[in-house]
Amino acid sequence: MLFSIFGLVSASFFMNKDAVDVAFTEAAVGAGISPLLMLATLAIVGRYQNTKALPTRPLISLTIVTITGALLIIGTLDMPAFGAADAPSQLHVAPRYIQDSVEEIGIPNMVTSVLASYRAYDTLGEVAVIFTAGIGVLSLLAFSHANRKEKHLIDDIIELDEHKILRIVIKILVAPILIFALYVQFHGDFGPGGGFQAGVIFAAAIILYTLFFGINVGKKVVNLSIVRVFSAIGLLLYGSVGVVSFVSGKNYLDYHVLAENPQTAQHIGIVVIELGVGITVACVMMLIFFAFFERIGKDKVE
Amino acid sequence: MIIFDLLNYWVVIILMMIGFFIVISRGNLVKKIIGLNIFQVSVFIFYISVGNVRGGTAPIFLEGATLYSNPLPHVLILTAIVVGIATTALALSLVIRIKASYGTIEETEILEQDKQ
């Protein structure tokens, strides 16, 4: 719970500091999905700490931490004042992004143009990392296919206390959340948003639904084997945009081959790769969620 | 005033040190991951603080606006958040597997079992 509030507070901080895109992501991830995974893990491994096992060196660690912190604070004394417009970090590549991106890329949201065009390599790498982490979770918590009608402990809990009002509210809410996710996905060029946020919001809607109706119902809504295939398709879609420009004799992920008009070309490229990002992120988040929650009750908890 | 100019960075450092302290002083693996997460968020806040420009607006093109925040840290951090949750999930699933095979998630007990 505290963790979730922490996520929400940091999201509002980002909002306050003009980082709307970041605030969006943090609100969905920090306040939603990440505490959920923590809770699931605690439900699996047991929630009580063995007090005997507590290491007896708090003093040493406290000293180390204090010294490191003091050194870092001394380091900040040389830093430019917070919010100064002439700080070194604002004078390197940022002016180019801010002044030229609207003309070069043709979309008003600079964050999206940097993410999907100037630094598309980076983003490709990050999507690959997310995909790999998803594979890692699946291989660690591999769920069994033997019995499809398997009972899950979490389902019993959900059935036990039937939250009728909440269920109706969720039923009403899920559709707008999904539409909102699509809006965020395709409006990311003009307003805050993009593939990463949309993917997380989309997954959050499904997760919310599953939490109130049980895993077996949730699995009827989303077919996990299709989700698994799509998590790879998203990444492939992203990579193949690069291959298209590769084959046409330009650099990898150079969108100018996609259309005559450079701005249109950039636009097509960005929409396609954002779609790839969105698909992968949404699918991986759903896979991770199901992997965790199916595991609850499978291991012995003392 | 130097205090107001650097206050943000100091808060970041305090947050970071809280996370660091949890990581090195707690033997419970779940708590370690929570500590790492706090550490991670402090780095996010640091990046966003560096990219912030006083009097600037969000980096979305606006008629008449001349001063924008730096879009680059925003890009780096928004991808880092999603990557962060994916890697956290990986770490948590490792913890679950450790629990399944060792029966405990306390660092000292795991080390003891390894010695035997």
Side-chain angles (χ1 to χ4, degrees), chain B:
Chain B
M1 269 294 276
I2 191 163
I3 295 178
F4 290 115
D5 285 349
L6 298 175
L7 188 67
N8 251 50
Y9 301 132
W10 291 354
V11 171
V12 166
I13 290 170
I14 292 168
L15 208 55
M16 189 183 269
M17 287 307 118
I18 293 173
F20 188 37
F21 179 74
I22 298 174
V23 171
I24 59 177
S25 74
R26 291 286 171 262
N28 187 308
L29 293 178
V30 174
K31 286 192 176 172
K32 269 187 200 291
I33 292 174
I34 292 176
L36 269 180
N37 250 309
I38 294 175
F39 198 107
Q40 194 183 23
V41 171
S42 79
V43 176
F44 296 164
I45 295 177
F46 177 69
Y47 264 70
I48 300 300
S49 306
V50 167
N52 184 253
V53 176
R54 184 162 292 147
T57 169
I60 295 172
F61 179 74
L62 203 69
E63 288 296 338
T66 48
L67 215 51
Y68 295 103
S69 286
N70 192 343
L72 186 58
H74 297 187
V75 174
L76 300 178
I77 295 312
L78 99 83
T79 51
I81 290 174
V82 183
V83 170
I85 176 74
T87 46
T88 307
L90 190 63
L92 287 174
S93 53
L94 275 173
V95 169
I96 292 172
R97 291 310 297 252
I98 288 172
K99 171 78 177 178
S101 53
Y102 285 87
T104 174
I105 51 166
E106 301 294 336
E107 207 178 31
T108 43
E109 289 174 4
I110 293 168
L111 288 175
E112 260 168 40
Q113 285 188 27
D114 271 346
K115 273 179 200 150
Q116 284 164 12

Side-chain angles (χ1 to χ4, degrees), chain A residues 19-300:
Chain A
V20 273
D21 281 278
V22 182
F24 232 136
T25 327
E26 177 70 21
V29 170
I33 297 181
S34 128
L36 256 182
L37 292 184
M38 285 285 175
L39 287 178
T41 313
L42 286 180
I44 297 167
V45 299
R47 87 184 93 150
Y48 296 108
Q49 180 171 229
N50 189 348
T51 38
K52 266 185 295 177
L54 212 69
T56 51
R57 45 186 161 81
L59 263 182
I60 303 173
S61 3
L62 197 64
T63 356
I64 295 175
V65 165
T66 323
I67 292 171
T68 325
L71 286 177
L72 284 174
I73 285 182
I74 293 171
T76 60
L77 292 180
D78 284 339
M79 286 188 69
F82 171 70
D86 55 351
S89 60
Q90 321 291 9
L91 300 177
H92 186 47
V93 286
R96 189 194 142 91
Y97 290 150
I98 291 172
Q99 279 154 19
D100 299 345
S101 78
V102 177
E103 233 169 78
E104 278 180 356
I105 315 286
I107 60 172
N109 188 350
M110 295 160 200
V111 174
T112 307
S113 36
V114 176
L115 177 104
S117 185
Y118 291 113
R119 301 185 68 93
Y121 273 129
D122 267 18
T123 315
L124 178 61
E126 261 137 14
V127 176
V129 170
I130 293 168
F131 180 63
T132 319
I135 295 176
V137 171
L138 284 193
S139 52
L140 282 170
L141 303 178
F143 33 109
S144 53
H145 299 281
N147 192 354
R148 269 186 175 271
K149 285 265 143 51
E150 221 174 339
K151 268 292 211 182
H152 301 289
L153 181 69
I154 188 101
D155 280 7
D156 298 340
I157 298 170
I158 290 167
E159 260 167 45
L160 212 62
D161 36 20
E162 211 178 328
H163 298 289
K164 278 226 173 74
I165 296 174
L166 280 179
R167 280 190 181 186
I168 290 167
V169 172
I170 295 298
K171 263 194 181 159
I172 297 169
L173 272 182
V174 163
I177 295 177
L178 290 179
I179 293 173
F180 180 62
L182 292 178
Y183 168 78
V184 169
Q185 169 83 49
F186 293 109
H187 202 258
D189 319 357
F190 303 101
F196 284 96
Q197 295 92 326
V200 176
I201 294 171
F202 195 90
I206 303 288
I207 289 172
L208 205 61
Y209 185 79
T210 313
L211 272 182
F212 281 98
F213 289 91
I215 284 179
N216 283 334
V217 182
K219 269 185 168 172
K220 275 181 204 148
V221 178
V222 284
N223 187 332
L224 277 191
S225 22
I226 293 178
V227 171
R228 233 170 290 152
V229 173
F230 263 91
S231 68
I233 284 181
L235 186 57
L236 272 178
L237 190 64
Y238 196 142
S240 51
V241 174
V243 174
V244 168
S245 45
F246 216 38
V247 171
S248 325
K250 287 278 179 66
N251 289 329
Y252 193 71
L253 288 173
D254 185 342
Y255 303 141
H256 289 295
V257 298
L258 298 175
E260 287 289 314
N261 183 344
Q263 285 200 359
T264 325
Q266 291 283 355
H267 216 125
I268 296 173
I270 288 173
V271 166
V272 174
I273 68 159
E274 286 273 26
L275 191 63
V277 171
I279 293 173
T280 301
V281 171
C283 292
V284 168
M285 289 301 149
M286 280 188 258
L287 286 177
I288 291 176
F289 165 79
F290 277 109
F292 269 85
F293 277 77
E294 286 193 335
R295 189 86 187 182
I296 292 178
K298 291 272 168 65
D299 298 324
K300 260 192 293 169

Side-chain angles (χ1 to χ4, degrees), chain A residues 1-15:
Chain A
M1 274 302 177
L2 208 59
F3 205 66
S4 169
I5 294 169
F6 178 59
L8 203 59
V9 168
S10 38
S12 42
F13 168 81
F14 294 140
M15 190 72 211

